[in-house]
Every structure is written in structure tokens, then in C-alpha cells.
Amino acid sequence: MDSLNTKKFYVTTPIYYVNARPHLGSLYSTLLADVAARYNRLHNKKVFFLTGTDEHGLKIAQAAAAVEKAPKEFVDSFIEPFKDTWKLYNIDYTRFIRTTDPDHVAAVQAWIMRLMQQGLIYKSHYAGFYCTPCETFVTEKDLADNNILNTVPLCPSCGRTTEYVSEESYFFKLSAYQDKLLQFYQENPDFITPRERMAEVVAFVTSGLKDLSISRTTITWGIPFPGDTHHVTYVWADALNNYITGVGYATPGQEKEFNFWWPADLQILGKDIVRFHAIYWPAFLMASNLALPKKLLVHGWIKVGEHKMSKSRGNTVAPLELAVTYGVDQIRYYLVRHLAITQDSPFSYDELEQRINADLAHDLGNLLNRMLTLAIKNNLADVAIPAQWSGASQALHEAEKNTITRFITEMEHGYMNRAYGIVWEYIHEVNKYFHVQQPWKVIKDDQEKFAEIISATCHALYGIAYLCWPLMPKKMEILLDQLGIKMASGSDIFALLLSTPWTKKFNLKNNETVLFKQIEQKKEITMTEEIKSVQKLSSVHQTIGIEDLTKIELRVGTIENVQIVEKSDKLYALKVNFGPFGIRQILSGVRKSFKPDELLNKQALFVCNLAPRMMMGMESQGMMLVAKEGSSLVLMSPATHVTNGTQLS
Ligand code: MSP
């Protein structure tokens, strides 16, 4: 984050498309920002944390039309699910901006007017291809790279079919910024974390920048283009500006606020939207005479099997269900610590459960419990400062300082997963210390030494609680409470930990709370009563509304492979081809009713957006529909062959 020397910290997440509830991918970007924000609060900085929703554009307009809703009514219906999820995960944001907020709309219009007055926006004509899911104009370079000059090209980013567009359009003079951008990248090699992403950006800019179309005439769901009612603002020119409008840009009376917060210290985004953030966005800012953000933190994708987790693939995992099943801080820990920023990472229930058991319940939770139980059993609730520290305890303190220094370095560069890897190295050292010192033996003939070991362990846990607070705030508040400590505020806690000797007194609580419970039996992700009540599902008359029905993504697929799952007497593992949506593994308990060749090469109907589930150690990425007649099952096949992937409506 490279911001140790400033007293403020401004962090942003991408703003999310509101055509679906948040999934684990959206949670990931938001969590990284929350951890960064909390870490900077511990440095005693003023923090502004901006997140929100991207509500305009063709993609949203089409999604609204599909459920026969007005766009505004449609987007409104997703705001609570987003806010509820962030609340559940203790995402402590400062502002939730919506691109339909009046101050944002007015500020974007003011921005366009300013650039028009400077001659940086002009009217012309656009003819080319457009990808609605990515809301992006396909560039000539994309076409050339993919060797697709004569046919309708697929989107270079998401691989879906694009549409030919020919319309009058306003253009931003992006081409004027090619050299300035290249110079900026050269002078700021740490602008993007990880550094490797910079190479793609530089290559794209070097190959030549064309002016960017920033208005559309064929849709109405967008910010009206100032002075020209036939046009609405292109969704990215609207959305990117949220990062400045969210802190008061071009809003009367907000100049001081804006000047205080801008530029952003850290902007978090996934690798799919680098081009917008590392090229268009800096060029917009240069054109506006505004400073550029200090750092972009670009993370990889959470994958399910081979594919990016995404709504359109129907392979999303719901944050709500995970939190209820495993606990909020456990999920925060797993996502931030075990997914590497630099690459794509698979999501796996098995790994999640292993990490909870090994890292949280065993390494950290057990350490606290063993120390608390032993101390309290031996009447040592009030832990005083020892007269002298042993060599081993001094070494433990040195190791703590070393940990904090290395932790800060990684956090400042945005490598949060590595930072927490370092913290866990220290937790292992503390465990080793406790084990080697054998306080349960020492108590038999040396009370003073026993108290010294307990105090050193408490100090170490105290440091760990602060290091882990950005990641697991609620659990670390409980840990501090069990040590009898109130969260400090008003000073840079890391500077204090680094500069002061171990002189804390602890007042241990004989608290029965187990910090992290072991998962003894594999969890089943099911719709528990608790989840239902959080989702506020209505059960009146057992009816559902059209919006509930549209949540279920039903598609036709061809069963291309049928394999017996050895450990089960019911299950087949099917490989099902969904055409443009790929091939999925779907486990189905229909072995008693169908022989493999009764299923092979048949088309059937599948639920495609069911959260992936592990069964018998294999992942099922959907569900096959069958009709149950008495005790036999009937396959649901379309009457005539239809294209794989076709959705039922
Ligand atoms: N609305 C645009 C962003 C505009 S920012 C000015 C957008 N929205 S999005 O909802 O599609 O994606 C938002 C963020 O979620 C992106 O950073 C994206 O990378 C992230 N994720 C969505 N799915 C993801 C995974 N499966 N894994 C990790 N993050 C991914 O793009």
C-alpha cells in the first residue's frame, strides 16, 4: 500500500453489477479491501473505504427486461442482499455508492462537461463490435490478436459472441494519452501489484490506443449525456468515476473532503477488469488534472474446477450459506490467507475444512485454550509482569517483532495472503515455545517460572490478536477479551508493539467459549432454518414469485460420459456438455433406475446454478432433473434436439 507515511488511507472495491446476489468472487474483492482498511485503522490512520454497485448499462437493462421489471426497480431489489452480505461479513465500509445516486449522476455529467470544454470529448460515429456481458467495445487490436477479421468475433475477454454496433457516439481522446501513460508506468513500476500484470498493460498501450467511445444511443438506461438527450453515458465512463464522485468530486461544498481523500491509496480489482482500471481510468484522471491512484491490487479468480466462479456459469457459492455453516471469520480467513493474490485459486470445501481444523482450531484456538485452562486451574487469572524474562521468552519477543516487520512489508505491497503466512509461522513458534517450556511440569516446583511462561504466551497472543484483527475482527476481539484486554485505539498499534517492551498485565477469563470449533464431520451445505430466516424467504401459502423462479437456472445439456462412483451404490458421475457454458461434472443418484447406456448421449434438463457440493469426495456442479413416478425415475429430455446450454424460460 506504500502509504506508511500518510495519515489517511482511501481504499476502493470495484462496484458490482447488480444482476445477481453477491457470490464468493464479489466477497473476495470486498474482503481484501476490508482487511486493508482495518490494517490501516490499526496504524491509526483516517480511513475511507468505498464500495457499491454498478447499476447502469445494457447488461442490467436486459436482465431487468427478462423479469419484466423497470431497471430501477430491478436494481433496487439487489441492494439489500449486497448490504446484508457485507454486514454479515463485518465489512466496515464508509460509503456504499450506487451509480444511480443523484450526487454521482450530477458529478459524472459535470466531469463530461469539463472534458468537453477542454476539447477532450468530441462527437463522431462508432462502428464495430460490442460485448454486452463485459460492456466493452472490442478493439481492432483484439480482433487482430485473435485473427478474426472477417467473422463476428468472440469477446477477447469472456469468449462470448459480440454484436455489431453502428451508432453516433461521443469519443474520449484516449489516443492523446498513450505516451503519458507509458511514461507513468515506467516511472511507477509498483503501480500494479502483482508486477507481472503491468507487462500486459504496457503491451496493450504500446500497440496503440484509439479514442474511446463513451456514449450509447441504443439504450436509455444510463446517465443522460449532458447537452445531448439522444445519448447515455457509456457504463464504464460512468462506473470508473465512482472512485472520485464517492469522495465528493464535482459536488458543491465537498471540495475539501475530496482534496483530503483523493488520490486513492489502494484500488482493488479482479484481473478481468485490468484494462479499464490501468489504462482508461488513469487516462480519465490525467485528462481531469487529477492525481493517479497510488496502487492497483489485481487479484486472480476463484475457480470451480476449470472455470471462473460466475453467475453466468451458474457455479457460484453463496457467502451466506458458507457463513452460517462455517462461521464468518473462518471464511474471511480461508479466502484471504489461502487464495493467492497472484493467481487463480480453486475453491474447495475439503481445503476449507482442513484449514479451519489445522490453522484455526488447532494452531491458534488450542494454544489459547491450553494456556487459559492451565493458568486458571493453577489460580493464575491475574498475570503480572515477571521480574525477569528467560532467554526463550526474549527470543519469542524478538520473533514477534521480526514477524510484525515482515507482516507490514507484505501488507504494504498488498500481498495479504503472504502477510498471514508469516503470522502463522509465528503462531507455530509460540506453540513450540509452549510445548518446550512444559509449564504443566514447571508448575509443580517453580510458581514464578510458571507465571513467566504464561505471561510470555499471553504477550505473544496479544500481538497475534492485533495482527489477525484485520482478518478476523470478531474472533480477535473475543481473544483479547479472554486475555482481559480492551482493544486499543488512538495510536499506531504496530509501532507500539515494535517499540515497547512486554509490560502488559493480563486478567484471564475462565471463559467456556471455544474460539474455533473443530469440524468433526463433513458439513452439509443445506438450506437451514437460519439461512432461510436471513434470506427472509416468504413461506406464505408455499407460493413463490416470478423473481424466485428466475433464480433457478435450468439448462439443457447432453450427457457425454457416465461413470460409476465406486464408493456409492446410487451415484453416477456424469459429464454434461452445456455448449458455450462448458462441460460440467454432475453427480446424480439415479443408478438404480438407469443403466449407463440409457443416459449416454441423451439430452436432459439440469439446474445449473446450484452451489457446487462434494459427494463421496467428488464435486457436483449442478443437478439433473428427473420425474419420480412411484418408485421409478423418468429422464426429462426435450421432445426434439435443442442446442446444448439452452436455458428454460
Ligand atoms: N461493474 C464492473 C466493475 C466496475 S468498477 C468501476 C464489474 N462488476 S462484477 O460484478 O462483474 O465484478 C466485480 C469484481 O468481482 C471484479 O473485480 C471481479 O474480478 C470480481 N469477481 C467476480 N467473480 C470473481 C471470481 N470468481 N473470483 C474472484 N473475483 C471475481 O466487473
Side-chain angles (χ1 to χ4, degrees), residues 240-271:
L240 286 165
N241 278 308
N242 95 87
Y243 300 133
I244 49 177
T245 64
V247 285
Y249 174 77
T251 305
Q254 300 272 299
E255 296 78 11
K256 215 170 142 200
E257 161 115 359
F258 176 69
N259 290 333
F260 179 77
W261 292 113
W262 193 257
D265 296 274
L266 183 67
Q267 301 212 259
I268 291 171
L269 52 132
K271 66 177 190 180

PDB file of all heavy atoms in Angstrom, residues 240-271:
ATOM      1  N   LEU A 240     -16.333   4.015 -13.570  1.00  0.00           N
ATOM      2  CA  LEU A 240     -14.983   4.297 -13.047  1.00  0.00           C
ATOM      3  C   LEU A 240     -14.960   5.581 -12.225  1.00  0.00           C
ATOM      4  O   LEU A 240     -14.242   5.690 -11.236  1.00  0.00           O
ATOM      5  CB  LEU A 240     -13.979   4.381 -14.208  1.00  0.00           C
ATOM      6  CG  LEU A 240     -13.606   3.035 -14.840  1.00  0.00           C
ATOM      7  CD1 LEU A 240     -12.923   3.239 -16.189  1.00  0.00           C
ATOM      8  CD2 LEU A 240     -12.702   2.216 -13.908  1.00  0.00           C
ATOM      9  N   ASN A 241     -15.794   6.539 -12.653  1.00  0.00           N
ATOM     10  CA  ASN A 241     -15.783   7.812 -11.937  1.00  0.00           C
ATOM     11  C   ASN A 241     -16.326   7.722 -10.514  1.00  0.00           C
ATOM     12  O   ASN A 241     -16.179   8.656  -9.735  1.00  0.00           O
ATOM     13  CB  ASN A 241     -16.549   8.863 -12.738  1.00  0.00           C
ATOM     14  CG  ASN A 241     -15.663   9.461 -13.814  1.00  0.00           C
ATOM     15  OD1 ASN A 241     -14.557   9.919 -13.516  1.00  0.00           O
ATOM     16  ND2 ASN A 241     -16.111   9.422 -15.058  1.00  0.00           N
ATOM     17  N   ASN A 242     -16.934   6.590 -10.172  1.00  0.00           N
ATOM     18  CA  ASN A 242     -17.444   6.460  -8.793  1.00  0.00           C
ATOM     19  C   ASN A 242     -16.318   6.652  -7.778  1.00  0.00           C
ATOM     20  O   ASN A 242     -16.559   7.089  -6.656  1.00  0.00           O
ATOM     21  CB  ASN A 242     -18.128   5.099  -8.602  1.00  0.00           C
ATOM     22  CG  ASN A 242     -17.202   4.043  -8.016  1.00  0.00           C
ATOM     23  OD1 ASN A 242     -17.058   3.912  -6.814  1.00  0.00           O
ATOM     24  ND2 ASN A 242     -16.532   3.302  -8.900  1.00  0.00           N
ATOM     25  N   TYR A 243     -15.084   6.317  -8.200  1.00  0.00           N
ATOM     26  CA  TYR A 243     -13.980   6.398  -7.245  1.00  0.00           C
ATOM     27  C   TYR A 243     -13.691   7.847  -6.837  1.00  0.00           C
ATOM     28  O   TYR A 243     -13.156   8.080  -5.753  1.00  0.00           O
ATOM     29  CB  TYR A 243     -12.709   5.774  -7.849  1.00  0.00           C
ATOM     30  CG  TYR A 243     -12.861   4.315  -8.232  1.00  0.00           C
ATOM     31  CD1 TYR A 243     -12.418   3.849  -9.480  1.00  0.00           C
ATOM     32  CD2 TYR A 243     -13.423   3.397  -7.361  1.00  0.00           C
ATOM     33  CE1 TYR A 243     -12.536   2.506  -9.838  1.00  0.00           C
ATOM     34  CE2 TYR A 243     -13.556   2.052  -7.710  1.00  0.00           C
ATOM     35  CZ  TYR A 243     -13.107   1.615  -8.951  1.00  0.00           C
ATOM     36  OH  TYR A 243     -13.232   0.297  -9.297  1.00  0.00           O
ATOM     37  N   ILE A 244     -14.027   8.794  -7.726  1.00  0.00           N
ATOM     38  CA  ILE A 244     -13.853  10.199  -7.311  1.00  0.00           C
ATOM     39  C   ILE A 244     -15.175  10.811  -6.830  1.00  0.00           C
ATOM     40  O   ILE A 244     -15.186  11.555  -5.857  1.00  0.00           O
ATOM     41  CB  ILE A 244     -13.206  11.078  -8.425  1.00  0.00           C
ATOM     42  CG1 ILE A 244     -13.883  10.912  -9.793  1.00  0.00           C
ATOM     43  CG2 ILE A 244     -11.717  10.808  -8.524  1.00  0.00           C
ATOM     44  CD1 ILE A 244     -13.310  11.829 -10.891  1.00  0.00           C
ATOM     45  N   THR A 245     -16.282  10.443  -7.470  1.00  0.00           N
ATOM     46  CA  THR A 245     -17.550  11.047  -7.030  1.00  0.00           C
ATOM     47  C   THR A 245     -17.902  10.565  -5.616  1.00  0.00           C
ATOM     48  O   THR A 245     -18.534  11.287  -4.859  1.00  0.00           O
ATOM     49  CB  THR A 245     -18.705  10.704  -7.991  1.00  0.00           C
ATOM     50  OG1 THR A 245     -18.935   9.293  -7.974  1.00  0.00           O
ATOM     51  CG2 THR A 245     -18.410  11.142  -9.411  1.00  0.00           C
ATOM     52  N   GLY A 246     -17.452   9.347  -5.272  1.00  0.00           N
ATOM     53  CA  GLY A 246     -17.748   8.781  -3.946  1.00  0.00           C
ATOM     54  C   GLY A 246     -17.142   9.578  -2.813  1.00  0.00           C
ATOM     55  O   GLY A 246     -17.587   9.481  -1.669  1.00  0.00           O
ATOM     56  N   VAL A 247     -16.096  10.362  -3.103  1.00  0.00           N
ATOM     57  CA  VAL A 247     -15.498  11.199  -2.046  1.00  0.00           C
ATOM     58  C   VAL A 247     -15.663  12.689  -2.366  1.00  0.00           C
ATOM     59  O   VAL A 247     -14.909  13.519  -1.887  1.00  0.00           O
ATOM     60  CB  VAL A 247     -14.006  10.849  -1.793  1.00  0.00           C
ATOM     61  CG1 VAL A 247     -13.878   9.544  -1.024  1.00  0.00           C
ATOM     62  CG2 VAL A 247     -13.212  10.772  -3.095  1.00  0.00           C
ATOM     63  N   GLY A 248     -16.668  12.996  -3.190  1.00  0.00           N
ATOM     64  CA  GLY A 248     -17.056  14.405  -3.316  1.00  0.00           C
ATOM     65  C   GLY A 248     -16.635  15.146  -4.569  1.00  0.00           C
ATOM     66  O   GLY A 248     -16.853  16.354  -4.668  1.00  0.00           O
ATOM     67  N   TYR A 249     -16.047  14.465  -5.571  1.00  0.00           N
ATOM     68  CA  TYR A 249     -15.610  15.185  -6.778  1.00  0.00           C
ATOM     69  C   TYR A 249     -16.789  15.910  -7.437  1.00  0.00           C
ATOM     70  O   TYR A 249     -17.885  15.359  -7.558  1.00  0.00           O
ATOM     71  CB  TYR A 249     -15.004  14.188  -7.781  1.00  0.00           C
ATOM     72  CG  TYR A 249     -14.662  14.804  -9.126  1.00  0.00           C
ATOM     73  CD1 TYR A 249     -13.516  15.582  -9.275  1.00  0.00           C
ATOM     74  CD2 TYR A 249     -15.501  14.620 -10.223  1.00  0.00           C
ATOM     75  CE1 TYR A 249     -13.205  16.156 -10.494  1.00  0.00           C
ATOM     76  CE2 TYR A 249     -15.196  15.189 -11.456  1.00  0.00           C
ATOM     77  CZ  TYR A 249     -14.049  15.957 -11.577  1.00  0.00           C
ATOM     78  OH  TYR A 249     -13.752  16.536 -12.781  1.00  0.00           O
ATOM     79  N   ALA A 250     -16.550  17.132  -7.853  1.00  0.00           N
ATOM     80  CA  ALA A 250     -17.529  17.952  -8.576  1.00  0.00           C
ATOM     81  C   ALA A 250     -18.854  18.080  -7.831  1.00  0.00           C
ATOM     82  O   ALA A 250     -19.902  18.283  -8.441  1.00  0.00           O
ATOM     83  CB  ALA A 250     -17.770  17.394  -9.981  1.00  0.00           C
ATOM     84  N   THR A 251     -18.803  17.953  -6.517  1.00  0.00           N
ATOM     85  CA  THR A 251     -20.028  18.123  -5.727  1.00  0.00           C
ATOM     86  C   THR A 251     -19.860  19.393  -4.894  1.00  0.00           C
ATOM     87  O   THR A 251     -18.922  19.474  -4.082  1.00  0.00           O
ATOM     88  CB  THR A 251     -20.256  16.897  -4.809  1.00  0.00           C
ATOM     89  OG1 THR A 251     -20.261  15.732  -5.626  1.00  0.00           O
ATOM     90  CG2 THR A 251     -21.571  16.998  -4.059  1.00  0.00           C
ATOM     91  N   PRO A 252     -20.720  20.385  -5.130  1.00  0.00           N
ATOM     92  CA  PRO A 252     -20.551  21.661  -4.421  1.00  0.00           C
ATOM     93  C   PRO A 252     -20.469  21.456  -2.908  1.00  0.00           C
ATOM     94  O   PRO A 252     -21.230  20.681  -2.334  1.00  0.00           O
ATOM     95  CB  PRO A 252     -21.819  22.439  -4.814  1.00  0.00           C
ATOM     96  CG  PRO A 252     -22.271  21.806  -6.102  1.00  0.00           C
ATOM     97  CD  PRO A 252     -21.863  20.381  -6.043  1.00  0.00           C
ATOM     98  N   GLY A 253     -19.514  22.128  -2.305  1.00  0.00           N
ATOM     99  CA  GLY A 253     -19.350  22.043  -0.850  1.00  0.00           C
ATOM    100  C   GLY A 253     -18.460  20.890  -0.402  1.00  0.00           C
ATOM    101  O   GLY A 253     -18.133  20.766   0.772  1.00  0.00           O
ATOM    102  N   GLN A 254     -18.064  20.020  -1.339  1.00  0.00           N
ATOM    103  CA  GLN A 254     -17.293  18.830  -0.950  1.00  0.00           C
ATOM    104  C   GLN A 254     -15.815  18.938  -1.355  1.00  0.00           C
ATOM    105  O   GLN A 254     -15.100  17.942  -1.280  1.00  0.00           O
ATOM    106  CB  GLN A 254     -17.865  17.588  -1.645  1.00  0.00           C
ATOM    107  CG  GLN A 254     -19.307  17.289  -1.330  1.00  0.00           C
ATOM    108  CD  GLN A 254     -19.425  16.422  -0.095  1.00  0.00           C
ATOM    109  OE1 GLN A 254     -18.925  15.327  -0.064  1.00  0.00           O
ATOM    110  NE2 GLN A 254     -20.066  16.943   0.934  1.00  0.00           N
ATOM    111  N   GLU A 255     -15.379  20.112  -1.788  1.00  0.00           N
ATOM    112  CA  GLU A 255     -14.024  20.250  -2.337  1.00  0.00           C
ATOM    113  C   GLU A 255     -12.957  19.834  -1.321  1.00  0.00           C
ATOM    114  O   GLU A 255     -12.001  19.122  -1.654  1.00  0.00           O
ATOM    115  CB  GLU A 255     -13.741  21.701  -2.787  1.00  0.00           C
ATOM    116  CG  GLU A 255     -14.612  22.203  -3.936  1.00  0.00           C
ATOM    117  CD  GLU A 255     -16.020  22.597  -3.514  1.00  0.00           C
ATOM    118  OE1 GLU A 255     -16.288  22.693  -2.289  1.00  0.00           O
ATOM    119  OE2 GLU A 255     -16.877  22.805  -4.402  1.00  0.00           O
ATOM    120  N   LYS A 256     -13.163  20.274  -0.054  1.00  0.00           N
ATOM    121  CA  LYS A 256     -12.153  19.996   0.965  1.00  0.00           C
ATOM    122  C   LYS A 256     -12.056  18.489   1.216  1.00  0.00           C
ATOM    123  O   LYS A 256     -10.969  17.909   1.280  1.00  0.00           O
ATOM    124  CB  LYS A 256     -12.555  20.715   2.261  1.00  0.00           C
ATOM    125  CG  LYS A 256     -11.383  21.228   3.020  1.00  0.00           C
ATOM    126  CD  LYS A 256     -11.803  22.125   4.130  1.00  0.00           C
ATOM    127  CE  LYS A 256     -10.882  21.854   5.298  1.00  0.00           C
ATOM    128  NZ  LYS A 256     -11.404  22.280   6.565  1.00  0.00           N
ATOM    129  N   GLU A 257     -13.231  17.909   1.342  1.00  0.00           N
ATOM    130  CA  GLU A 257     -13.324  16.460   1.563  1.00  0.00           C
ATOM    131  C   GLU A 257     -12.617  15.719   0.421  1.00  0.00           C
ATOM    132  O   GLU A 257     -11.802  14.823   0.637  1.00  0.00           O
ATOM    133  CB  GLU A 257     -14.826  16.122   1.600  1.00  0.00           C
ATOM    134  CG  GLU A 257     -15.172  14.683   1.383  1.00  0.00           C
ATOM    135  CD  GLU A 257     -15.807  14.065   2.610  1.00  0.00           C
ATOM    136  OE1 GLU A 257     -15.929  14.781   3.603  1.00  0.00           O
ATOM    137  OE2 GLU A 257     -16.127  12.858   2.559  1.00  0.00           O
ATOM    138  N   PHE A 258     -12.941  16.157  -0.807  1.00  0.00           N
ATOM    139  CA  PHE A 258     -12.349  15.479  -1.964  1.00  0.00           C
ATOM    140  C   PHE A 258     -10.826  15.627  -1.956  1.00  0.00           C
ATOM    141  O   PHE A 258     -10.098  14.654  -2.144  1.00  0.00           O
ATOM    142  CB  PHE A 258     -12.950  16.019  -3.268  1.00  0.00           C
ATOM    143  CG  PHE A 258     -12.308  15.412  -4.479  1.00  0.00           C
ATOM    144  CD1 PHE A 258     -12.502  14.071  -4.786  1.00  0.00           C
ATOM    145  CD2 PHE A 258     -11.464  16.164  -5.300  1.00  0.00           C
ATOM    146  CE1 PHE A 258     -11.879  13.476  -5.881  1.00  0.00           C
ATOM    147  CE2 PHE A 258     -10.837  15.576  -6.397  1.00  0.00           C
ATOM    148  CZ  PHE A 258     -11.048  14.232  -6.684  1.00  0.00           C
ATOM    149  N   ASN A 259     -10.351  16.825  -1.720  1.00  0.00           N
ATOM    150  CA  ASN A 259      -8.895  17.043  -1.744  1.00  0.00           C
ATOM    151  C   ASN A 259      -8.184  16.277  -0.641  1.00  0.00           C
ATOM    152  O   ASN A 259      -7.019  15.910  -0.782  1.00  0.00           O
ATOM    153  CB  ASN A 259      -8.566  18.537  -1.613  1.00  0.00           C
ATOM    154  CG  ASN A 259      -8.966  19.263  -2.874  1.00  0.00           C
ATOM    155  OD1 ASN A 259      -9.010  18.668  -3.958  1.00  0.00           O
ATOM    156  ND2 ASN A 259      -9.320  20.543  -2.752  1.00  0.00           N
ATOM    157  N   PHE A 260      -8.911  16.037   0.454  1.00  0.00           N
ATOM    158  CA  PHE A 260      -8.294  15.274   1.536  1.00  0.00           C
ATOM    159  C   PHE A 260      -8.114  13.808   1.129  1.00  0.00           C
ATOM    160  O   PHE A 260      -7.059  13.217   1.327  1.00  0.00           O
ATOM    161  CB  PHE A 260      -9.156  15.363   2.806  1.00  0.00           C
ATOM    162  CG  PHE A 260      -8.581  14.573   3.949  1.00  0.00           C
ATOM    163  CD1 PHE A 260      -7.504  15.062   4.679  1.00  0.00           C
ATOM    164  CD2 PHE A 260      -9.089  13.320   4.292  1.00  0.00           C
ATOM    165  CE1 PHE A 260      -6.946  14.323   5.724  1.00  0.00           C
ATOM    166  CE2 PHE A 260      -8.540  12.571   5.331  1.00  0.00           C
ATOM    167  CZ  PHE A 260      -7.469  13.094   6.050  1.00  0.00           C
ATOM    168  N   TRP A 261      -9.172  13.224   0.536  1.00  0.00           N
ATOM    169  CA  TRP A 261      -9.123  11.777   0.285  1.00  0.00           C
ATOM    170  C   TRP A 261      -8.423  11.395  -1.014  1.00  0.00           C
ATOM    171  O   TRP A 261      -7.777  10.366  -1.098  1.00  0.00           O
ATOM    172  CB  TRP A 261     -10.536  11.176   0.295  1.00  0.00           C
ATOM    173  CG  TRP A 261     -11.148  11.203   1.659  1.00  0.00           C
ATOM    174  CD1 TRP A 261     -12.222  11.940   2.061  1.00  0.00           C
ATOM    175  CD2 TRP A 261     -10.711  10.479   2.815  1.00  0.00           C
ATOM    176  NE1 TRP A 261     -12.487  11.720   3.395  1.00  0.00           N
ATOM    177  CE2 TRP A 261     -11.569  10.825   3.881  1.00  0.00           C
ATOM    178  CE3 TRP A 261      -9.683   9.571   3.077  1.00  0.00           C
ATOM    179  CZ2 TRP A 261     -11.427  10.291   5.168  1.00  0.00           C
ATOM    180  CZ3 TRP A 261      -9.548   9.033   4.347  1.00  0.00           C
ATOM    181  CH2 TRP A 261     -10.407   9.407   5.373  1.00  0.00           C
ATOM    182  N   TRP A 262      -8.624  12.175  -2.071  1.00  0.00           N
ATOM    183  CA  TRP A 262      -8.033  11.802  -3.352  1.00  0.00           C
ATOM    184  C   TRP A 262      -6.559  12.167  -3.396  1.00  0.00           C
ATOM    185  O   TRP A 262      -6.218  13.232  -2.893  1.00  0.00           O
ATOM    186  CB  TRP A 262      -8.810  12.447  -4.519  1.00  0.00           C
ATOM    187  CG  TRP A 262      -8.378  11.808  -5.807  1.00  0.00           C
ATOM    188  CD1 TRP A 262      -7.526  12.339  -6.739  1.00  0.00           C
ATOM    189  CD2 TRP A 262      -8.698  10.489  -6.237  1.00  0.00           C
ATOM    190  NE1 TRP A 262      -7.307  11.420  -7.726  1.00  0.00           N
ATOM    191  CE2 TRP A 262      -8.010  10.271  -7.449  1.00  0.00           C
ATOM    192  CE3 TRP A 262      -9.480   9.447  -5.721  1.00  0.00           C
ATOM    193  CZ2 TRP A 262      -8.084   9.069  -8.144  1.00  0.00           C
ATOM    194  CZ3 TRP A 262      -9.565   8.268  -6.410  1.00  0.00           C
ATOM    195  CH2 TRP A 262      -8.865   8.083  -7.618  1.00  0.00           C
ATOM    196  N   PRO A 263      -5.648  11.366  -3.951  1.00  0.00           N
ATOM    197  CA  PRO A 263      -5.891  10.128  -4.690  1.00  0.00           C
ATOM    198  C   PRO A 263      -6.102   8.913  -3.788  1.00  0.00           C
ATOM    199  O   PRO A 263      -5.664   8.917  -2.631  1.00  0.00           O
ATOM    200  CB  PRO A 263      -4.590   9.953  -5.476  1.00  0.00           C
ATOM    201  CG  PRO A 263      -3.544  10.555  -4.612  1.00  0.00           C
ATOM    202  CD  PRO A 263      -4.211  11.745  -3.957  1.00  0.00           C
ATOM    203  N   ALA A 264      -6.741   7.899  -4.349  1.00  0.00           N
ATOM    204  CA  ALA A 264      -6.925   6.655  -3.613  1.00  0.00           C
ATOM    205  C   ALA A 264      -5.559   6.048  -3.327  1.00  0.00           C
ATOM    206  O   ALA A 264      -4.638   6.142  -4.139  1.00  0.00           O
ATOM    207  CB  ALA A 264      -7.758   5.683  -4.431  1.00  0.00           C
ATOM    208  N   ASP A 265      -5.445   5.430  -2.163  1.00  0.00           N
ATOM    209  CA  ASP A 265      -4.183   4.769  -1.813  1.00  0.00           C
ATOM    210  C   ASP A 265      -4.140   3.358  -2.372  1.00  0.00           C
ATOM    211  O   ASP A 265      -3.081   2.859  -2.721  1.00  0.00           O
ATOM    212  CB  ASP A 265      -4.033   4.750  -0.289  1.00  0.00           C
ATOM    213  CG  ASP A 265      -3.931   6.153   0.252  1.00  0.00           C
ATOM    214  OD1 ASP A 265      -2.815   6.678   0.282  1.00  0.00           O
ATOM    215  OD2 ASP A 265      -4.980   6.767   0.568  1.00  0.00           O
ATOM    216  N   LEU A 266      -5.311   2.726  -2.425  1.00  0.00           N
ATOM    217  CA  LEU A 266      -5.347   1.350  -2.912  1.00  0.00           C
ATOM    218  C   LEU A 266      -6.676   1.089  -3.612  1.00  0.00           C
ATOM    219  O   LEU A 266      -7.738   1.351  -3.055  1.00  0.00           O
ATOM    220  CB  LEU A 266      -5.201   0.387  -1.719  1.00  0.00           C
ATOM    221  CG  LEU A 266      -5.142  -1.094  -2.063  1.00  0.00           C
ATOM    222  CD1 LEU A 266      -3.856  -1.418  -2.818  1.00  0.00           C
ATOM    223  CD2 LEU A 266      -5.225  -1.950  -0.796  1.00  0.00           C
ATOM    224  N   GLN A 267      -6.595   0.588  -4.847  1.00  0.00           N
ATOM    225  CA  GLN A 267      -7.809   0.209  -5.566  1.00  0.00           C
ATOM    226  C   GLN A 267      -7.729  -1.287  -5.857  1.00  0.00           C
ATOM    227  O   GLN A 267      -6.766  -1.761  -6.474  1.00  0.00           O
ATOM    228  CB  GLN A 267      -7.924   1.007  -6.864  1.00  0.00           C
ATOM    229  CG  GLN A 267      -7.956   2.509  -6.582  1.00  0.00           C
ATOM    230  CD  GLN A 267      -8.782   3.282  -7.587  1.00  0.00           C
ATOM    231  OE1 GLN A 267      -8.242   3.895  -8.476  1.00  0.00           O
ATOM    232  NE2 GLN A 267     -10.086   3.231  -7.425  1.00  0.00           N
ATOM    233  N   ILE A 268      -8.746  -2.004  -5.409  1.00  0.00           N
ATOM    234  CA  ILE A 268      -8.731  -3.462  -5.546  1.00  0.00           C
ATOM    235  C   ILE A 268      -9.641  -3.881  -6.691  1.00  0.00           C
ATOM    236  O   ILE A 268     -10.730  -3.325  -6.861  1.00  0.00           O
ATOM    237  CB  ILE A 268      -9.159  -4.099  -4.206  1.00  0.00           C
ATOM    238  CG1 ILE A 268      -8.036  -3.845  -3.200  1.00  0.00           C
ATOM    239  CG2 ILE A 268      -9.437  -5.597  -4.356  1.00  0.00           C
ATOM    240  CD1 ILE A 268      -8.313  -4.188  -1.813  1.00  0.00           C
ATOM    241  N   LEU A 269      -9.191  -4.841  -7.481  1.00  0.00           N
ATOM    242  CA  LEU A 269      -9.982  -5.292  -8.629  1.00  0.00           C
ATOM    243  C   LEU A 269      -9.518  -6.678  -9.065  1.00  0.00           C
ATOM    244  O   LEU A 269      -8.404  -7.094  -8.763  1.00  0.00           O
ATOM    245  CB  LEU A 269      -9.842  -4.313  -9.805  1.00  0.00           C
ATOM    246  CG  LEU A 269      -8.420  -3.970 -10.209  1.00  0.00           C
ATOM    247  CD1 LEU A 269      -8.253  -4.097 -11.700  1.00  0.00           C
ATOM    248  CD2 LEU A 269      -8.098  -2.547  -9.771  1.00  0.00           C
ATOM    249  N   GLY A 270     -10.396  -7.361  -9.797  1.00  0.00           N
ATOM    250  CA  GLY A 270     -10.031  -8.669 -10.341  1.00  0.00           C
ATOM    251  C   GLY A 270      -9.332  -8.504 -11.680  1.00  0.00           C
ATOM    252  O   GLY A 270      -9.428  -7.460 -12.331  1.00  0.00           O
ATOM    253  N   LYS A 271      -8.630  -9.553 -12.110  1.00  0.00           N
ATOM    254  CA  LYS A 271      -7.785  -9.444 -13.306  1.00  0.00           C
ATOM    255  C   LYS A 271      -8.605  -9.206 -14.581  1.00  0.00           C
ATOM    256  O   LYS A 271      -8.072  -8.717 -15.575  1.00  0.00           O
ATOM    257  CB  LYS A 271      -6.929 -10.702 -13.459  1.00  0.00           C
ATOM    258  CG  LYS A 271      -7.723 -11.967 -13.745  1.00  0.00           C
ATOM    259  CD  LYS A 271      -6.793 -13.146 -13.963  1.00  0.00           C
ATOM    260  CE  LYS A 271      -7.573 -14.334 -14.493  1.00  0.00           C
ATOM    261  NZ  LYS A 271      -6.767 -15.509 -14.730  1.00  0.00           N
TER     262      LYS A 271
END
